[in-house]
Amino acid sequence: MLESPPMWDAIVSIIEWVADDSAQVLAGAVPYLLIGLSALYVAWLVIGYLRVSQVAIDAESAVQPALRLPRAPDGAIEAPRGVPYCPVDGLQYPPGARFCTQCESDLMLSCANCGATIRAADESCYRCGTRDTMAVAGEGPA
């Protein structure tokens, strides 16, 4: 009778391990996978809540509703300079808002000084370097 080469023994042992022991390993790993996925989902919910809760957090200002912005004939949003707006929903937000309450996307604004489009959360304009990127409350756009 011929002896099987050592490689065949290794292959047979792998096949036996998959057939016999892999179910135990999988059964032991499933609870940890479910706990990990649940933790990621809860973290996603908490981060989403924290992002949206930062909109209009100025305590002394009254909560102002988001206003619908007019659109140009080509569909572009016509937002005044220095006013945060959502490029997705076309809503205008009060100064200090950083995230859209509808779609949770970053708000954009046109720099009050040079008109460059930047994120409302940015502290300065990338083009002119001014830190006064938002229009002063009660003052019309430039």
Side-chain angles (χ1 to χ4, degrees), residues 2 14 22 35 45 57 83-85 114 122 127 134:
L2 293 173
I14 290 172
S22 64
I35 290 170
L45 288 175
I57 59 173
V83 177
Y85 68 93
C114 68
D122 290 346
R127 185 187 295 166
M134 291 194 189

Side-chain angles (χ1 to χ4, degrees), residues 5-140:
M7 186 173 92
W8 289 108
D9 292 336
I11 293 173
V12 168
S13 66
I14 290 172
I15 291 172
E16 287 176 352
W17 180 83
V18 168
D20 297 335
D21 299 332
S22 64
Q24 292 175 355
V25 171
L26 184 63
V30 166
Y32 293 112
L33 291 172
L34 290 176
I35 290 170
L37 288 174
S38 300
L40 285 174
Y41 180 68
V42 169
W44 179 70
L45 288 175
V46 168
I47 289 170
Y49 171 75
L50 291 175
R51 284 187 57 161
V52 173
S53 67
Q54 293 179 8
V55 176
I57 59 173
D58 193 11
E60 50 275 349
S61 70
V63 176
Q64 300 173 354
L67 304 173
R68 179 91 32 211
L69 286 170
R71 291 192 179 260
D74 64 350
I77 297 170
E78 295 180 354
R81 282 188 179 186
V83 177
Y85 68 93
C86 177
V88 177
D89 299 325
L91 298 174
Q92 174 183 333
Y93 284 87
R98 295 184 176 167
F99 303 102
C100 179
T101 57
Q102 302 295 317
C103 66
E104 297 182 12
S105 66
D106 291 331
L107 295 181
M108 305 300 281
L109 63 87
S110 297
C111 176
N113 187 36
C114 68
T117 302
I118 59 174
R119 291 181 339 153
D122 290 346
E123 295 196 14
S124 64
C125 177
Y126 68 87
R127 185 187 295 166
C128 66
T130 185
R131 292 192 173 272
D132 299 324
T133 56
M134 291 194 189
V136 178
E139 195 177 289

